[in-house]
Every structure is written in structure tokens, then in C-alpha cells.
Amino acid sequence: MGSTQASVNNAVKTGSAINSAMVDALDAIELSWKFKAVPASSHGQSAGAFVASGVTLAELPTPLLTLDAAALGANVEHMADWCAGKGVLLAPHGKTTMAPQMWREQLDHGAWGITLANASQLRVGHAFGLQRVMVANSLTDPAAITWLAATQGPAFSVVSWVDSLQTVALQEHVLSAIPGSVIDVIVELGGNGGRTGIRTVAQALELARAVNAAKHLRLVGVGGYEGSLAHTADADALTAVRGYLSGVKDLHEALLGEGLYAHDADIIVTAGGSAYFDEVVDVLGGCSSDGANGGPRIDVIIRSGAYMVHDDGFYRGISPFARGARAEAGQAPFASAMHAWARVVSAPEPGLAILDAGKRDMPVDEGLPEPQLLGTSLGGEMAELAGASISAVNDQHCFLRFDPETTTVNIGDVVRLGLSHPCTAFDKWTLIPVLADADSDNRVVDLIHTFF
């Protein structure tokens, strides 16, 4: 997965980095029975040698998840350009893929750093040399807090979240046993019915005062996650999102007014998953400041994680580049960069075929897979599979429904499936083949390793 020199320079300028030697070393991993995405004939080869041999989709087994290099590249460039044009930074949520090769691509396109969700993911990031990480969660495990205090430094800068006075007290207690230890935190604002995050601006202000008074914590920002407050793009949902974001802005301005941020810190204002990042920038974008007038530097950072892979389901419908005024204004939509491939293993009734892919292979939490193409062999010619649907998914099978009067499906046929929600696709695969272009070029050009 390549990048331009300009994007590399941008990444270096922002201080974002990953240990490229560690990432490149993944090519030396020996393929074996541990990786269900590769054929038995490849066992004993290195991942790099397998790709260099010129293998194509036709040589891979089913069930299978693949990525599309052309779509990945277009998506990552589109988001980088959009953020640069809006004057905001991007810390992509790495938990979507847990794939250091893809993190590097995002960093090479100017990402500020990588967002992670918990201590185990943080250890993966450290192992691969991430230099800047945001943990979008509160660390309450004493072992994790102790590890972070001992491991962080100029080459591994970490900021995590707090959302309660109890969390502040717990972290202070653990860190008090480590002389000189200080960790950077931001106050997380939530909302009623949401997930984590202290619920009101008044409570958040009290929490910020406690962080400011703590000996072992440094307050460097505010933020949260608007995606837990809405799940559609209708007027009510967008009103709820904007109301929440206005609260984040109010909190930030109150902290500035009271001087509660650490005096020597660059300040972070952060929100934004993959569904409402446009609203985040509209409401919070004006908080940015380069510090030229004597005040602190303030960066607005969005944390979209699904944009690089995108999908043929939930995000296709809700992405800011595919809905409403944003789409009408000419923003090109992201392209889905993931597909599943499954073979027909049974045809027990007219209009029903059972495929060899199930919940162990594909995400189903944000919608069932979408039949797209049908062919007689993997990697061979395929035709549109119109009018078909997946009606149910079991652990290892899914139910393909079709009209037997217009469509013929035989044992051994192959179906390409569009998927919804990359966040629950990657965790099912330790190795994912990347095709040059899923629509026109079935060469395998990379193997992506994941670390869940």
C-alpha cells in the first residue's frame, strides 16, 4: 500500500509515526494452517513471497474476506484532503482494523496519530512503534495505568479519557505509587442514553477542576463520541448530535475561561466517528487555534475509523459524503473496500441456496450481507445477482434467497457479498488478502495482518 512523498512529509511534520521496519517485517511471517484465508499449497511460504508469486483470487479458498486496494487508496486520500481543507486533524480509530499496515497508510497521509480503545490495543500500538495515540476510553485497570505510566514518553505519547470523579481518584491512587508519574487526560462529555461520558456540562466542569487539582493527571482537552446518541441521519438524529456537540464546545470554552487546562499543553477538542464527522467540524471547527496570539494551540481532532474501508450497508447510507446536502454539494462518496466470497454448498429447496460463509466470517450486527455477483468459479467471470437476498446467517452458513424462475444457482457456484460495518469484519480474520481491484483486477497485491 503506497503513499506519496507529500503525504509522508505531512505525517513527519505532525509528529505522527509508526515503526515501518516492524510493519515491513510482517512480510516475513510464515503462512500456515493458522490463516484461513490462504490455501494449503502456500503453507511454508512467507507472506511476502506469496504475494510476489503473482497469486490471484482464483487460488484462494472460501469463505473469504478480501480488501480492494483501489478503493482503500481512494478513500484514505479523500478523507485526508477533506480534513486538510477543513483545517482539522484526524486520529483514525485503529480498533476498526487493528492492522498496523493500514495505520501506516493513514499516518502517511497526514493523520495526527491513531485512536485505540483499550489497554490491549494500546500494547499492540506500542509494539509497532506508534508515536502518538489517543485512548478513547477511561483506564481503570490498575495494571494498565501502571504500564502506561512506565511506558509512555517522547516516543510514545498517549492521551486517555476520564468521565467521573471516581476515575480521577482511582488513577491518582495508582499513580501515587509511581514517583513523578503524570498521564495526560481529556474530560469526556456524554449524553443521556449514550454510552460513556459524564452527563452534563456542569458535572464535566467539576470533573475538570478535579483533574486540574490532581498531582498525577494533566488536563489536555475535552471530547466524546456523538455516535452513541443517534443511529440515523434524519432531522431528529442530526439535531441530537448537534446539541451534544454544542455541549462539548460550551465545556471547552468554560475550561478556557477558568484556566483549567494544563498551562504547557497543546489542547485537544475531539469527537467524530464515521457517521457525523461533518457535523463535528461544523460545530467544533471554530475552536481551533494555532496559538499565534499568545493563547494555547488548540486542535480539533476527529476520530473516524471506518472511512478507509467503508461498506455496502450502514456507512454507505449514513456517511456524510453520501447523504443530504453534502452529497448534493458534490463530495464524492467513499467506496466499499471489502467483500466476502462464498460458495454454494447446498441447494435444498427451489429458490434457496446455502453458502459456506457465516457469522464466523462476516459482520451481521449492522445488517445482513448483500448478494452482488454470481459466477461458476472464484476469480472467474461473474454476473449481477439481481433480486437475491440473504435471509439469515448461522455460524458457518448463510441463506441465499432468489427467484428460481429467473436465476439458476448450482452447487459450487460462487457469490460475492457486500458487507455492512467494517468494525466487526476484521476481527474475524488474522490475515486478509488485498485485491488490486475487486471489480477489474483479481491479483493479490498484499496481505493485511490483524491483531485483535
Side-chain angles (χ1 to χ4, degrees), residues 302-368:
I302 61 173
R303 307 185 310 277
S304 309
Y307 75 93
M308 188 175 181
V309 180
H310 200 51
D311 69 9
D312 282 308
F314 175 69
Y315 287 115
R316 178 180 61 188
I318 203 170
S319 168
F321 297 160
R323 59 168 165 82
R326 311 287 174 188
E328 293 169 10
Q331 285 287 354
F334 293 126
S336 178
M338 66 174 179
H339 300 92
W341 308 81
R343 278 191 170 87
V344 177
V345 294
S346 180
E349 303 169 11
L352 172 64
I354 306 300
L355 309 183
D356 65 353
K359 294 177 184 177
R360 308 293 189 190
D361 314 298
M362 307 179 296
V364 297
D365 59 310
E366 289 288 0
L368 295 176

Side-chain angles (χ1 to χ4, degrees), residues 7 11 16-18 103-114 130:
S7 64
S16 304
I18 193 169
W103 297 348
R104 178 170 65 179
E105 190 77 0
Q106 293 167 313
L107 292 166
D108 283 352
H109 280 80
W112 171 91
I114 297 296
L130 288 180

